[in-house]
Amino acid sequence: MRATELRESILKHLEFSQGKDLAHASLYDMRMALTLAIRDRVIEPWFRATRATYAAQSKRVYYLSMEFLIGRLLEDAVMNIGLTEAAHEAISGLGHDFRAVLDDEPDAALGNGGLGRLAACFLDSLSTLGCPAYGYGIRYEHGLFRQSFGPDGRQVETAEDWLRQSHGWEFERPEAAFNIGFGGTVAESGRSAVWTPDNAVVAKAYDTPVIGWQGKWANTLRLWGAEPLSAFDLAAFNKGDFVGAAQPEAFARTISRVLYPDDTTEQGKELRLKQEFFFTAASLRDILRRFTAEHGDLSALPSRVAIQMNDTHPAIAGPELVRLLHDERGMEFEQAVDTARACLSYTNHTLLPEALERWPETLMSAVLPRHMQLIERIDALHAQQFPVRSTPIVEKGEVKMGELSFIMANRVNGVSALHTELVKSTVFADLHALHPERIINETNGVTPRRWLKGANHGLSTLITDTIGEGWEDNLERLVELEPAIEDRGFRDRFAAVKKTNKVHLSNWIGDQMGIAVNPDAMFDVQVKRFHEYKRQHLNILETIALWQEIRANPGAGWAPRVKIFGGKAAPGYVMAKEIIHLINNVARVINADAATRDLLTVVYPPNYNVTMAERLIPAADLSEQISTAGKEASGTGNMKFSLNGALTIGTLDGANVEIRDLVGPENFFLFGMTADEVVERRRHPDHASSAIAASPRLSAAIDLIEAGTFSNGDRSTYRGLTQNLRAHDYFTVCADFDSYWDAQRAVDTAWGDADHWMRMAALNTARSGWFSSDRTIKGYMKDVWNIQPMI
Ligand SMILES: *Cc1c(COP(=O)(O)O)cnc(C)c1O
């Protein structure tokens, strides 16, 4: 029935939306027709949710995020509305391969990594829980760059063009457009002021419906695209100045052209500040427009509007909302500040000092002159209300967006228990002393619909066969698997699912990279952005040491391993790129060594993204979560792996701490210094050299790199990397090396008892239910937004 109906709908869209008949339909045509047929079925719940929200005059959540790493949408939407089988049948019946149709969709990489993926998981949970919400962000023409590797193993970046084909999910909203100004002058006017920008662009809305589990509710992801006020300077064109004629267009479109790579070392990018203001200001205008259409009195704003700032990127929301209320709507300044604060909350995502945004005062004054004045007034008001010395927002010629966000937020949250304690005791220690109720914890989570149901069909089927349906939106029910784990039969099925996933991945690696990997070997996976704090170099050093040890002692009963790496480095991050280069060349050398071929393989497929994560994670046996303790705020990759039955080798960092507590320390391979020990150890100037001197294995691995083993005899290639390890090693790779090595050998031993390994793996799945982003969003709804679900 449903397949027949869907088939009709696909054929209708093929003909009337794509202008094709079935005989001439390309894969793209089929994918677009299916997308539009599915989108049609999302409209009804979407409208229903909007009407219900208006009727109940409900509060709404506005999630402001510079990044939404949404990946592909079709398979997820089909699954959420329960049409997977019908769609499969309809597409097959029309003579096309369903999997190929799904795989034809580009991966929308509108984010760098964890922060953007969190925003995407939150959208899914907000809809699943029936929480009225909008996601607001930027419709980047080019998402994060596409990564490939040159013949020498270096990262090569090219532009991502996901919008080259039309994006079937979105609705363009020419009527929802706002002029966003920059620069200009400020004229005093009574007690407030009038800002006259000297240039402006139009922010135009593009809406994507976000359907929740079982189609019960849908929210909107509204992304802003930048356009010129006037498309074209006809006067210039008529004078023959064709390039000049296109200037206004070029400037405007630049604003939503590219996603900035998470380039923690680069500072003072004017365009980035403009992007931040662009999407934040457009979103606030839109929020106030919606509010005033329904209500009159702006003092009621906080009872209807909860705005979440995902990191400091939308921090300009504080002064902009004050400006809208005070300058434009005549509210008293102090009341405007209080009203804005009652609407705003802020999520901190990092303690790395270089990643905490600061803007030169001169730049802020030039781009946003009125906001600079308001920031100074907010600073002065805070100093007057809390005369105890605290860190000012504006200091040494810089505007500190973390302090601004804290002072303008009613709640500030960390993203794991450990991270939240560190937020209290480090970056915001003095503000925390003044506002001890403000900082709370909301440990991150991931959506089980995408990361288990969608990505791991075998395991999902096994779970449903064992505990019945209904775990998808009630993930803590996974604990009901525990009694079954005692059965050998269940463990064998669990092992068979893992094996099938590994065979699929092996085939894919063979196709993509021409490398044969043994699906019976342990799949040891580290996939995440490249950063020194995430310590991919610790992993590759251990790989080199292991290779040496296997060569020296080939008969020692080694557990065969496939080391899998994935991830991009910010184009300007030299050290991270050097680590990528090293890994590719270690892979080349080790994979060519006949003596170790059956025991150790290193693969690094390029262009890690959400789609690749969905492929790799269900096939992983071992999850590498090896950051320097105190540096990873939470991690969400760690949760996806554990949920999919991988064991973690990790430090006591971020949410690893909570994962270990929940799955049990006996089902987790812990190593390394604690956050406190790292800080203490770093006080010793020789912390790295003494660790190298004390570890013959580490010493030999570094020597091999320096001898040119992985650089065709060139001894200088990795000098930057090895010198840094020997001399500085801020991320304490050397001091943690031996502990990591020992933990890896404990992993080998555990792997030797295959049945016990599967028991541990299954217990990871059974005990990871708490890491559903539904639990996280329920926490925000209760503790941060004070909002009730509508379903
Ligand atoms: C989950 C995810 C991340 C975050 O991974 P971490 O290991 O937590 O840093 C990054 N990128 C993609 C594509 C993801 O799916």
Side-chain angles (χ1 to χ4, degrees):
M1 257 310 275
R2 301 171 95 194
T4 317
E5 203 187 300
L6 196 56
R7 176 196 164 96
E8 291 310 312
S9 184
I10 293 167
L11 285 170
K12 190 194 80 184
H13 278 295
L14 257 190
E15 185 175 351
F16 297 109
S17 306
Q18 294 305 107
K20 286 282 183 76
D21 62 14
L22 184 60
H24 299 97
S26 66
L27 197 55
Y28 166 75
D29 294 322
M30 289 308 289
R31 198 245 305 164
M32 286 298 286
L34 177 60
T35 299
L36 295 171
I38 295 298
R39 194 180 74 169
D40 288 351
R41 281 151 183 78
V42 169
I43 302 292
E44 193 274 326
W46 194 28
F47 285 2
R48 186 156 33 81
T50 306
R51 281 195 292 267
T53 307
Y54 274 101
Q57 304 213 340
S58 171
K59 193 173 190 175
R60 292 181 181 87
V61 170
Y62 297 104
Y63 197 83
L64 268 58
S65 180
M66 207 59 184
E67 306 186 7
F68 285 93
L69 191 52
I70 52 183
R72 290 177 177 160
L73 299 180
L74 179 54
E75 186 173 14
D76 214 51
V78 171
M79 176 181 71
N80 273 329
I81 58 174
L83 288 180
T84 304
E85 267 142 46
H88 196 152
E89 198 182 317
I91 293 289
S92 310
L94 294 170
H96 282 260
D97 176 22
F98 184 51
R99 190 67 248 169
V101 167
L102 296 177
D103 285 346
D104 182 63
E105 184 177 1
D107 181 294
L110 308 185
N112 274 287
L115 173 149
R117 185 54 232 174
L118 184 77
C121 284
F122 280 5
L123 290 179
D124 181 279
S125 285
L126 285 161
S127 290
T128 293
L129 292 166
C131 176
Y134 275 78
Y136 276 119
I138 298 179
R139 184 178 181 270
Y140 299 104
E141 200 176 315
H142 303 286
L144 188 59
F145 66 87
R146 196 189 305 261
Q147 179 195 55
S148 59
F149 300 128
D152 59 356
R154 285 184 205 278
Q155 172 173 293
V156 176
E157 301 110 23
T158 50
E160 175 69 63
D161 51 6
W162 72 295
L163 282 177
R164 180 171 295 198
Q165 303 172 337
S166 80
H167 178 43
W169 290 105
E170 69 184 6
F171 293 92
E172 192 173 336
R173 304 287 192 211
E175 78 286 2
F178 299 97
N179 291 354
I180 306 299
F182 301 101
T185 53
V186 179
E188 296 297 325
S189 149
R191 272 173 305 167
S192 62
V194 177
W195 171 36
T196 313
D198 63 10
N199 58 59
V201 301
V202 180
K204 185 161 91 184
Y206 293 82
D207 287 351
T208 300
V210 181
I211 187 80
W213 176 239
Q214 295 181 326
K216 291 181 200 151
W217 188 265
N219 288 316
T220 305
L221 171 60
R222 174 161 280 192
L223 300 178
W224 302 104
E227 293 190 0
L229 288 179
S230 60
F232 191 65
D233 185 344
L234 190 60
F237 187 86
N238 287 340
K239 277 190 238 136
D241 179 8
F242 304 131
V243 175
Q247 278 294 312
E249 165 123 31
F251 164 73
R253 298 212 189 272
T254 304
I255 300 233
S256 55
R257 182 96 65 200
V258 288
L259 166 74
Y260 268 100
D262 169 29
D263 203 334
T264 51
T265 50
E266 268 181 88
Q267 279 293 315
K269 285 265 170 71
E270 182 176 334
L271 181 58
R272 167 88 182 188
L273 177 61
K274 287 183 173 167
Q275 287 185 329
E276 294 183 355
F277 179 67
F278 166 77
F279 96 93
T280 304
S283 306
L284 289 177
R285 261 1 128 76
D286 203 33
I287 292 167
L288 283 190
R289 179 193 53 74
R290 193 170 297 112
F291 174 83
T292 25
E294 286 182 277
H295 313 276
D297 181 7
L298 281 165
S299 64
L301 195 66
S303 67
R304 295 285 181 264
V305 168
I307 301 167
Q308 192 67 31
M309 299 184 283
N310 194 25
D311 214 326
T312 56
H313 314 146
I316 201 68
E320 172 65 1
L321 189 50
V322 170
R323 190 187 70 81
L324 292 170
L325 296 174
H326 177 58
D327 287 357
E328 296 201 349
R329 316 272 172 128
M331 191 184 277
E332 288 296 326
F333 176 72
E334 281 193 33
Q335 197 199 342
V337 171
D338 288 344
T339 304
R341 183 183 298 117
C343 295
L344 291 164
S345 314
Y346 155 56
T347 303
N348 174 278
H349 282 275
T350 180
L351 304 169
L352 296 181
E354 67 274 24
L356 293 169
E357 287 189 297
R358 295 150 186 265
W359 297 105
E361 211 182 318
T362 47
L363 179 68
M364 186 67 84
S365 301
V367 176
L368 299 170
R370 178 56 180 155
H371 299 78
M372 188 63 228
Q373 293 176 345
L374 289 168
I375 289 167
E376 281 170 336
R377 273 184 85 178
I378 291 166
D379 223 359
L381 177 65
H382 187 261
Q384 176 200 326
Q385 289 170 335
F386 298 90
V388 195
R389 265 181 71 92
S390 79
T391 321
I393 302 170
V394 185
E395 193 179 44
K396 297 185 190 134
E398 286 186 322
V399 184
K400 294 182 293 181
M401 302 310 261
E403 277 71 11
L404 175 62
S405 301
F406 190 111
I407 287 171
M408 286 307 300
N410 67 82
R411 284 282 182 277
V412 174
N413 77 285
V415 290
S416 71
L418 173 68
H419 168 67
T420 298
E421 288 317 303
L422 293 169
V423 169
K424 289 181 185 168
S425 62
T426 62
V427 267
F428 295 132
D430 54 355
L431 285 169
H432 173 58
L434 298 181
H435 307 279
E437 75 304 327
R438 199 166 293 182
I439 301 179
I440 62 168
N441 179 243
E442 299 296 347
T443 298
N444 284 167
V446 298
T447 168
R449 272 76 61 187
R450 182 177 289 260
W451 294 110
L452 184 51
K453 182 88 174 171
N456 198 338
H457 295 168
L459 184 52
S460 299
T461 304
L462 176 56
I463 292 169
T464 303
D465 287 353
T466 311
I467 65 170
E469 295 189 340
W471 52 269
E472 295 91 341
D473 59 349
N474 188 5
L475 202 64
E476 305 224 24
R477 278 199 54 211
L478 291 183
V479 293
E480 295 169 26
L481 291 170
E482 282 209 33
I485 296 171
E486 298 307 313
D487 287 356
R488 180 71 198 229
F490 176 90
R491 296 198 297 275
D492 287 346
R493 277 190 72 189
F494 195 93
V497 164
K498 185 62 85 180
K499 175 72 184 282
T500 304
N501 294 341
K502 291 171 70 177
V503 168
H504 286 152
L505 181 61
S506 305
N507 293 340
W508 181 79
I509 290 171
D511 289 349
Q512 299 289 309
M513 312 188 64
I515 298 176
V517 299
N518 171 10
D520 288 317
M522 182 200 311
F523 283 15
D524 168 346
V525 185
Q526 186 173 22
V527 287
K528 48 184 75 242
R529 283 187 61 75
F530 270 69
H531 197 289
E532 287 166 281
Y533 87 76
K534 293 179 182 277
R535 299 201 292 193
Q536 284 91 353
H537 45 344
L538 176 58
N539 190 348
I540 201 66
L541 281 166
E542 193 269 343
T543 306
I544 295 169
L546 178 60
W547 175 53
Q548 289 300 297
E549 202 98 346
I550 298 173
R551 283 177 63 94
N553 207 349
W558 297 99
R561 281 205 198 217
V562 182
K563 287 257 188 187
I564 302 173
F565 290 86
K568 302 176 185 178
Y573 191 171
V574 174
M575 193 63 81
K577 293 174 94 170
E578 198 162 319
I579 296 169
I580 288 178
H581 186 221
L582 175 63
I583 293 172
N584 277 322
N585 281 294
V586 170
R588 176 178 56 80
V589 172
I590 291 183
N591 295 348
D593 184 351
T596 54
R597 183 158 300 154
D598 298 332
L599 295 173
L600 184 61
T601 311
V602 183
V603 292
Y604 184 178
N607 204 38
Y608 179 60
N609 57 17
V610 171
T611 304
M612 196 193 292
E614 290 166 357
R615 204 184 287 284
L616 294 183
I617 292 170
D621 295 303
L622 187 67
S623 159
E624 298 269 355
Q625 307 299 335
I626 61 178
S627 52
T628 313
K631 296 295 178 193
E632 186 74 89
S634 163
T636 49
N638 49 3
M639 301 168 186
K640 300 168 197 163
F641 279 101
S642 180
L643 191 58
N644 281 281
L647 301 187
T648 304
I649 182 166
T651 48
L652 281 180
D653 200 16
N656 291 356
V657 178
E658 286 145 279
I659 291 175
R660 180 168 172 270
D661 283 347
L662 281 164
V663 306
E666 68 284 9
N667 302 308
F668 186 109
F669 298 96
L670 180 70
F671 76 95
M673 294 179 284
T674 62
D676 288 342
E677 286 164 358
V678 168
V679 171
E680 171 53 34
R681 177 81 194 219
R682 252 196 227 117
R683 293 219 178 93
H684 302 280
D686 68 339
H687 67 88
S689 54
S690 63
I692 297 170
S695 172
R697 281 193 194 93
L698 173 60
S699 182
I702 297 177
D703 288 348
L704 272 187
I705 298 171
E706 290 181 339
T709 313
F710 310 105
S711 41
N712 303 312
D714 185 333
R715 294 163 163 267
S716 64
T717 307
Y718 300 113
R719 269 303 149 94
L721 182 61
T722 59
Q723 295 287 7
N724 183 281
L725 284 177
R726 290 185 185 284
H728 183 52
D729 193 22
Y730 178 77
F731 295 101
T732 59
V733 167
C734 298
D736 268 345
F737 181 86
D738 276 353
S739 171
Y740 180 56
W741 172 271
D742 291 344
Q744 288 286 22
R745 302 297 69 81
V747 169
D748 284 343
T749 306
W751 183 255
D753 183 346
D755 183 50
H756 185 64
W757 181 282
M758 278 308 147
R759 197 190 145 77
M760 295 193 289
L763 283 170
N764 266 264
T765 299
R767 295 174 179 176
S768 291
W770 191 74
F771 294 104
S772 168
S773 46
D774 298 345
R775 184 268 311 151
T776 314
I777 288 298
K778 282 183 193 160
Y780 278 88
M781 288 173 71
K782 180 167 163 296
D783 306 332
V784 182
W785 304 325
N786 188 23
I787 187 171
Q788 299 300 318
M790 296 283 295
I791 54 175

